[in-house]
Amino acid sequence: MAGWRGRGRGRGLCATLLAVLTLLSVTHSVRITKLRVPRTYTLLRDHEPDPLVLDCEVEIGPREQGFVLKWLFNNHSIYQWIPSVKGFAMGFMKSKIDTKIFTMESSPGVISIKNPNWNMTGEYTCAVQTFESTDKRSARLQIIVPESDFMLEARMSGSRLDVDVMCAVQHVFPQPMLSVMFDTHILDSVLTQLDQDPSGLYSMTVRTRIPRDQLESPTPITCAFILIGTNYTKRRETIFYEA
């Protein structure tokens, strides 16, 4: 019985020691406590864009040494902060990240991106490390570019047996999805044209033909589009009248 009690005390001592070591490793490690990356950022037309600010809050144990913080975009390094030289940008965002503002000891994980563009859509990762430990977190950011124009037209065909409908959205990002409806019916027999200009923005046009005998006069015809992967959506409506 004494032997069993001794073994029990031994197991209890090991468990206590393991708990203490675990607590010490948590207390004296580097870890990210909060990552601030907006889910979406909208580039308003005819407005100077506000800086895109990302933040990575870090907690460092008192015994940690060799601290380094990095920001990565789609797994490519864009920024690094170390105590001896503070922050510096690199890669294709070298001229975009403002390193003069956020280089203080109290906020090494804050970066400000000047004049953001649609091609900054992607995954942003904050990675921290010391000689003893590492941590990282990631979040996806979607840049939205609103439309420069959104048109809907409905007119009688030359034969007067059909109504021709055209809907178009121009210069958006990400890729749009257009749908045409009348009397709550979504039309699936449409011709679609999708283009991407040299700047990376999308334009889409859909055309369809509705038999005249399916339309009463007046009838509302609606076109709606959504930017894929976002909650950005717009609608246009026109009323068809028989002339």
Side-chain angles (χ1 to χ4, degrees):
M1 294 294 291
W4 282 109
R5 285 196 298 270
R7 291 175 187 174
R9 285 196 299 269
R11 285 195 294 269
L13 181 59
C14 288
T16 302
L17 181 59
L18 180 61
V20 170
L21 290 174
T22 301
L23 179 61
L24 286 173
S25 65
V26 171
T27 304
H28 301 291
S29 64
V30 61
R31 68 186 187 96
I32 298 169
T33 58
K34 185 174 292 186
L35 184 69
R36 293 190 179 92
V37 176
R39 294 184 61 185
T40 60
Y41 180 99
T42 302
L43 293 174
L44 300 177
R45 293 187 178 274
D46 303 320
H47 287 78
E48 184 74 19
D50 293 330
L52 173 60
V53 179
L54 313 180
D55 188 12
C56 179
E57 294 186 7
V58 181
E59 184 178 274
I60 308 172
R63 298 182 183 179
E64 295 286 297
Q65 295 182 355
F67 175 71
V68 178
L69 180 145
K70 295 180 180 180
W71 276 100
L72 300 93
F73 171 69
N74 291 339
N75 293 321
H76 296 284
S77 296
I78 58 172
Y79 179 82
Q80 181 168 296
W81 193 98
I82 56 178
S84 59
V85 296
K86 306 305 184 225
F88 57 93
M90 63 187 78
F92 90 102
M93 288 196 194
K94 185 174 183 179
S95 62
K96 289 284 191 176
I97 296 177
D98 189 348
T99 59
K100 297 179 181 179
I101 301 177
F102 302 108
T103 57
M104 301 84 71
E105 293 279 355
S106 59
S107 57
V110 179
I111 60 173
S112 176
I113 302 174
K114 301 175 291 185
N115 299 316
N117 203 349
W118 67 267
N119 61 356
M120 295 179 184
T121 292
E123 184 179 72
Y124 288 82
T125 300
C126 178
V128 294
Q129 66 182 62
T130 64
F131 295 148
E132 294 80 16
S133 56
T134 63
D135 194 13
K136 70 177 181 179
R137 288 193 191 180
S138 300
R140 178 173 173 80
L141 166 67
Q142 175 67 61
I143 303 289
I144 294 174
V145 181
E147 70 282 1
S148 63
D149 200 3
F150 183 24
M151 301 168 288
L152 173 61
E153 297 178 355
R155 61 184 63 181
M156 192 75 74
S157 67
S159 65
R160 302 189 65 81
L161 297 177
D162 306 285
V163 175
D164 292 329
V165 180
M166 186 278 295
C167 183
V169 60
Q170 296 182 346
H171 307 122
V172 295
F173 189 85
Q175 182 177 324
M177 180 181 294
L178 278 167
S179 58
V180 178
M181 295 161 282
F182 77 96
D183 280 346
T184 70
H185 301 295
I186 297 178
L187 301 176
D188 52 11
S189 57
V190 297
L191 297 175
T192 302
Q193 179 180 346
L194 176 67
D195 298 303
Q196 189 173 24
D197 64 26
S199 68
L201 301 182
Y202 291 96
S203 295
M204 177 177 276
T205 301
V206 297
R207 301 177 186 274
T208 189
R209 177 167 285 183
I210 306 172
R212 172 64 191 87
D213 57 11
Q214 294 183 14
L215 292 173
E216 296 180 358
S217 180
T219 296
I221 298 175
T222 303
C223 181
F225 80 88
I226 185 171
L227 298 182
I228 296 173
T230 76
N231 293 324
Y232 188 93
T233 183
K234 289 286 185 71
R235 297 170 65 91
R236 284 281 187 275
E237 184 176 273
T238 187
I239 306 298
F240 168 73
Y241 295 95
E242 185 173 12

